[in-house]
Amino acid sequence: MRKFPDPTEQELTEGPQAVAFQIANGNRRQNCVLQTNLPTKMQAQRYLLANWPAVERMARDALALGKVENGEIRLVMPPT
């Protein structure tokens, strides 16, 4: 297994990282942001890819419930 790089000074200052993505909504794209508790952008992106089915389901459920704020859906990583 690969070792993740150490967090940069900026990442340490920023704290837990968020990763943005989009889902299709009819013929439009819906902006989404997943807030993680991971220290680096790379780890946050890998988490998103590894857990894509569950994250997409969370985003679609939020969209169906109308939980769109300022044009985006904000999700929070479930506790591990």
Side-chain angles (χ1 to χ4, degrees), residues 7-20:
T8 64
E9 194 168 319
Q10 180 180 354
E11 289 170 331
L12 288 172
T13 304
E14 292 173 352
Q17 299 295 303
V19 61

mmCIF file with all atom_site columns, all heavy atoms in Angstrom, residues 7-20:
data_model
loop_
_atom_site.group_PDB
_atom_site.id
_atom_site.type_symbol
_atom_site.label_atom_id
_atom_site.label_alt_id
_atom_site.label_comp_id
_atom_site.label_asym_id
_atom_site.label_entity_id
_atom_site.label_seq_id
_atom_site.pdbx_PDB_ins_code
_atom_site.Cartn_x
_atom_site.Cartn_y
_atom_site.Cartn_z
_atom_site.occupancy
_atom_site.B_iso_or_equiv
_atom_site.pdbx_formal_charge
_atom_site.auth_seq_id
_atom_site.auth_comp_id
_atom_site.auth_asym_id
_atom_site.auth_atom_id
_atom_site.pdbx_PDB_model_num
ATOM 1   N N   . PRO A 1 7  ? 1.019   16.057 5.008  1.00 0.00 ? 7  PRO A N   1
ATOM 2   C CA  . PRO A 1 7  ? 0.267   17.271 4.700  1.00 0.00 ? 7  PRO A CA  1
ATOM 3   C C   . PRO A 1 7  ? 1.209   18.463 4.533  1.00 0.00 ? 7  PRO A C   1
ATOM 4   O O   . PRO A 1 7  ? 2.204   18.581 5.241  1.00 0.00 ? 7  PRO A O   1
ATOM 5   C CB  . PRO A 1 7  ? -0.635  17.474 5.928  1.00 0.00 ? 7  PRO A CB  1
ATOM 6   C CG  . PRO A 1 7  ? -0.662  16.167 6.622  1.00 0.00 ? 7  PRO A CG  1
ATOM 7   C CD  . PRO A 1 7  ? 0.617   15.466 6.278  1.00 0.00 ? 7  PRO A CD  1
ATOM 8   N N   . THR A 1 8  ? 0.869   19.329 3.597  1.00 0.00 ? 8  THR A N   1
ATOM 9   C CA  . THR A 1 8  ? 1.663   20.542 3.412  1.00 0.00 ? 8  THR A CA  1
ATOM 10  C C   . THR A 1 8  ? 1.361   21.511 4.541  1.00 0.00 ? 8  THR A C   1
ATOM 11  O O   . THR A 1 8  ? 0.388   21.347 5.283  1.00 0.00 ? 8  THR A O   1
ATOM 12  C CB  . THR A 1 8  ? 1.334   21.225 2.069  1.00 0.00 ? 8  THR A CB  1
ATOM 13  O OG1 . THR A 1 8  ? -0.035  21.650 2.109  1.00 0.00 ? 8  THR A OG1 1
ATOM 14  C CG2 . THR A 1 8  ? 1.561   20.298 0.895  1.00 0.00 ? 8  THR A CG2 1
ATOM 15  N N   . GLU A 1 9  ? 2.167   22.535 4.654  1.00 0.00 ? 9  GLU A N   1
ATOM 16  C CA  . GLU A 1 9  ? 1.946   23.535 5.697  1.00 0.00 ? 9  GLU A CA  1
ATOM 17  C C   . GLU A 1 9  ? 0.575   24.202 5.512  1.00 0.00 ? 9  GLU A C   1
ATOM 18  O O   . GLU A 1 9  ? -0.145  24.443 6.468  1.00 0.00 ? 9  GLU A O   1
ATOM 19  C CB  . GLU A 1 9  ? 3.065   24.582 5.657  1.00 0.00 ? 9  GLU A CB  1
ATOM 20  C CG  . GLU A 1 9  ? 3.106   25.446 6.887  1.00 0.00 ? 9  GLU A CG  1
ATOM 21  C CD  . GLU A 1 9  ? 4.381   26.277 6.969  1.00 0.00 ? 9  GLU A CD  1
ATOM 22  O OE1 . GLU A 1 9  ? 5.459   25.749 6.650  1.00 0.00 ? 9  GLU A OE1 1
ATOM 23  O OE2 . GLU A 1 9  ? 4.255   27.446 7.338  1.00 0.00 ? 9  GLU A OE2 1
ATOM 24  N N   . GLN A 1 10 ? 0.211   24.468 4.259  1.00 0.00 ? 10 GLN A N   1
ATOM 25  C CA  . GLN A 1 10 ? -1.089  25.068 3.980  1.00 0.00 ? 10 GLN A CA  1
ATOM 26  C C   . GLN A 1 10 ? -2.220  24.128 4.408  1.00 0.00 ? 10 GLN A C   1
ATOM 27  O O   . GLN A 1 10 ? -3.191  24.568 5.008  1.00 0.00 ? 10 GLN A O   1
ATOM 28  C CB  . GLN A 1 10 ? -1.233  25.398 2.498  1.00 0.00 ? 10 GLN A CB  1
ATOM 29  C CG  . GLN A 1 10 ? -2.572  26.022 2.159  1.00 0.00 ? 10 GLN A CG  1
ATOM 30  C CD  . GLN A 1 10 ? -2.715  26.358 0.688  1.00 0.00 ? 10 GLN A CD  1
ATOM 31  O OE1 . GLN A 1 10 ? -1.781  26.230 -0.081 1.00 0.00 ? 10 GLN A OE1 1
ATOM 32  N NE2 . GLN A 1 10 ? -3.899  26.785 0.307  1.00 0.00 ? 10 GLN A NE2 1
ATOM 33  N N   . GLU A 1 11 ? -2.099  22.840 4.099  1.00 0.00 ? 11 GLU A N   1
ATOM 34  C CA  . GLU A 1 11 ? -3.129  21.879 4.484  1.00 0.00 ? 11 GLU A CA  1
ATOM 35  C C   . GLU A 1 11 ? -3.252  21.781 6.005  1.00 0.00 ? 11 GLU A C   1
ATOM 36  O O   . GLU A 1 11 ? -4.358  21.658 6.539  1.00 0.00 ? 11 GLU A O   1
ATOM 37  C CB  . GLU A 1 11 ? -2.855  20.516 3.865  1.00 0.00 ? 11 GLU A CB  1
ATOM 38  C CG  . GLU A 1 11 ? -3.093  20.480 2.369  1.00 0.00 ? 11 GLU A CG  1
ATOM 39  C CD  . GLU A 1 11 ? -2.614  19.215 1.700  1.00 0.00 ? 11 GLU A CD  1
ATOM 40  O OE1 . GLU A 1 11 ? -1.647  18.585 2.186  1.00 0.00 ? 11 GLU A OE1 1
ATOM 41  O OE2 . GLU A 1 11 ? -3.216  18.847 0.686  1.00 0.00 ? 11 GLU A OE2 1
ATOM 42  N N   . LEU A 1 12 ? -2.118  21.844 6.696  1.00 0.00 ? 12 LEU A N   1
ATOM 43  C CA  . LEU A 1 12 ? -2.162  21.804 8.160  1.00 0.00 ? 12 LEU A CA  1
ATOM 44  C C   . LEU A 1 12 ? -2.875  23.030 8.718  1.00 0.00 ? 12 LEU A C   1
ATOM 45  O O   . LEU A 1 12 ? -3.629  22.941 9.682  1.00 0.00 ? 12 LEU A O   1
ATOM 46  C CB  . LEU A 1 12 ? -0.747  21.706 8.734  1.00 0.00 ? 12 LEU A CB  1
ATOM 47  C CG  . LEU A 1 12 ? -0.049  20.361 8.542  1.00 0.00 ? 12 LEU A CG  1
ATOM 48  C CD1 . LEU A 1 12 ? 1.401   20.447 8.976  1.00 0.00 ? 12 LEU A CD1 1
ATOM 49  C CD2 . LEU A 1 12 ? -0.765  19.260 9.280  1.00 0.00 ? 12 LEU A CD2 1
ATOM 50  N N   . THR A 1 13 ? -2.652  24.183 8.087  1.00 0.00 ? 13 THR A N   1
ATOM 51  C CA  . THR A 1 13 ? -3.301  25.416 8.513  1.00 0.00 ? 13 THR A CA  1
ATOM 52  C C   . THR A 1 13 ? -4.800  25.370 8.221  1.00 0.00 ? 13 THR A C   1
ATOM 53  O O   . THR A 1 13 ? -5.613  25.794 9.031  1.00 0.00 ? 13 THR A O   1
ATOM 54  C CB  . THR A 1 13 ? -2.679  26.628 7.792  1.00 0.00 ? 13 THR A CB  1
ATOM 55  O OG1 . THR A 1 13 ? -1.278  26.630 8.037  1.00 0.00 ? 13 THR A OG1 1
ATOM 56  C CG2 . THR A 1 13 ? -3.285  27.936 8.267  1.00 0.00 ? 13 THR A CG2 1
ATOM 57  N N   . GLU A 1 14 ? -5.161  24.819 7.044  1.00 0.00 ? 14 GLU A N   1
ATOM 58  C CA  . GLU A 1 14 ? -6.566  24.765 6.634  1.00 0.00 ? 14 GLU A CA  1
ATOM 59  C C   . GLU A 1 14 ? -7.364  23.753 7.440  1.00 0.00 ? 14 GLU A C   1
ATOM 60  O O   . GLU A 1 14 ? -8.563  23.897 7.608  1.00 0.00 ? 14 GLU A O   1
ATOM 61  C CB  . GLU A 1 14 ? -6.672  24.402 5.148  1.00 0.00 ? 14 GLU A CB  1
ATOM 62  C CG  . GLU A 1 14 ? -6.169  25.474 4.224  1.00 0.00 ? 14 GLU A CG  1
ATOM 63  C CD  . GLU A 1 14 ? -6.125  25.015 2.778  1.00 0.00 ? 14 GLU A CD  1
ATOM 64  O OE1 . GLU A 1 14 ? -6.349  23.815 2.513  1.00 0.00 ? 14 GLU A OE1 1
ATOM 65  O OE2 . GLU A 1 14 ? -5.859  25.847 1.919  1.00 0.00 ? 14 GLU A OE2 1
ATOM 66  N N   . GLY A 1 15 ? -6.714  22.687 7.884  1.00 0.00 ? 15 GLY A N   1
ATOM 67  C CA  . GLY A 1 15 ? -7.424  21.645 8.612  1.00 0.00 ? 15 GLY A CA  1
ATOM 68  C C   . GLY A 1 15 ? -8.018  20.617 7.656  1.00 0.00 ? 15 GLY A C   1
ATOM 69  O O   . GLY A 1 15 ? -7.548  20.451 6.534  1.00 0.00 ? 15 GLY A O   1
ATOM 70  N N   . PRO A 1 16 ? -9.082  19.939 8.081  1.00 0.00 ? 16 PRO A N   1
ATOM 71  C CA  . PRO A 1 16 ? -9.683  18.899 7.250  1.00 0.00 ? 16 PRO A CA  1
ATOM 72  C C   . PRO A 1 16 ? -10.071 19.430 5.874  1.00 0.00 ? 16 PRO A C   1
ATOM 73  O O   . PRO A 1 16 ? -10.534 20.566 5.740  1.00 0.00 ? 16 PRO A O   1
ATOM 74  C CB  . PRO A 1 16 ? -10.925 18.480 8.044  1.00 0.00 ? 16 PRO A CB  1
ATOM 75  C CG  . PRO A 1 16 ? -10.597 18.829 9.457  1.00 0.00 ? 16 PRO A CG  1
ATOM 76  C CD  . PRO A 1 16 ? -9.754  20.079 9.365  1.00 0.00 ? 16 PRO A CD  1
ATOM 77  N N   . GLN A 1 17 ? -9.859  18.595 4.862  1.00 0.00 ? 17 GLN A N   1
ATOM 78  C CA  . GLN A 1 17 ? -10.035 19.017 3.481  1.00 0.00 ? 17 GLN A CA  1
ATOM 79  C C   . GLN A 1 17 ? -11.413 18.669 2.931  1.00 0.00 ? 17 GLN A C   1
ATOM 80  O O   . GLN A 1 17 ? -12.054 17.712 3.353  1.00 0.00 ? 17 GLN A O   1
ATOM 81  C CB  . GLN A 1 17 ? -8.975  18.348 2.599  1.00 0.00 ? 17 GLN A CB  1
ATOM 82  C CG  . GLN A 1 17 ? -7.555  18.718 2.981  1.00 0.00 ? 17 GLN A CG  1
ATOM 83  C CD  . GLN A 1 17 ? -7.265  20.183 2.752  1.00 0.00 ? 17 GLN A CD  1
ATOM 84  O OE1 . GLN A 1 17 ? -7.419  20.680 1.650  1.00 0.00 ? 17 GLN A OE1 1
ATOM 85  N NE2 . GLN A 1 17 ? -6.843  20.869 3.798  1.00 0.00 ? 17 GLN A NE2 1
ATOM 86  N N   . ALA A 1 18 ? -11.843 19.465 1.966  1.00 0.00 ? 18 ALA A N   1
ATOM 87  C CA  . ALA A 1 18 ? -13.092 19.227 1.249  1.00 0.00 ? 18 ALA A CA  1
ATOM 88  C C   . ALA A 1 18 ? -12.742 18.952 -0.210 1.00 0.00 ? 18 ALA A C   1
ATOM 89  O O   . ALA A 1 18 ? -11.711 19.402 -0.713 1.00 0.00 ? 18 ALA A O   1
ATOM 90  C CB  . ALA A 1 18 ? -14.010 20.436 1.347  1.00 0.00 ? 18 ALA A CB  1
ATOM 91  N N   . VAL A 1 19 ? -13.599 18.211 -0.879 1.00 0.00 ? 19 VAL A N   1
ATOM 92  C CA  . VAL A 1 19 ? -13.390 17.905 -2.294 1.00 0.00 ? 19 VAL A CA  1
ATOM 93  C C   . VAL A 1 19 ? -14.699 18.198 -3.028 1.00 0.00 ? 19 VAL A C   1
ATOM 94  O O   . VAL A 1 19 ? -15.783 17.870 -2.547 1.00 0.00 ? 19 VAL A O   1
ATOM 95  C CB  . VAL A 1 19 ? -12.902 16.450 -2.491 1.00 0.00 ? 19 VAL A CB  1
ATOM 96  C CG1 . VAL A 1 19 ? -13.885 15.451 -2.003 1.00 0.00 ? 19 VAL A CG1 1
ATOM 97  C CG2 . VAL A 1 19 ? -12.529 16.181 -3.926 1.00 0.00 ? 19 VAL A CG2 1
ATOM 98  N N   . ALA A 1 20 ? -14.570 18.873 -4.174 1.00 0.00 ? 20 ALA A N   1
ATOM 99  C CA  . ALA A 1 20 ? -15.737 19.252 -4.964 1.00 0.00 ? 20 ALA A CA  1
ATOM 100 C C   . ALA A 1 20 ? -15.928 18.276 -6.118 1.00 0.00 ? 20 ALA A C   1
ATOM 101 O O   . ALA A 1 20 ? -14.962 17.730 -6.649 1.00 0.00 ? 20 ALA A O   1
ATOM 102 C CB  . ALA A 1 20 ? -15.563 20.669 -5.501 1.00 0.00 ? 20 ALA A CB  1
#
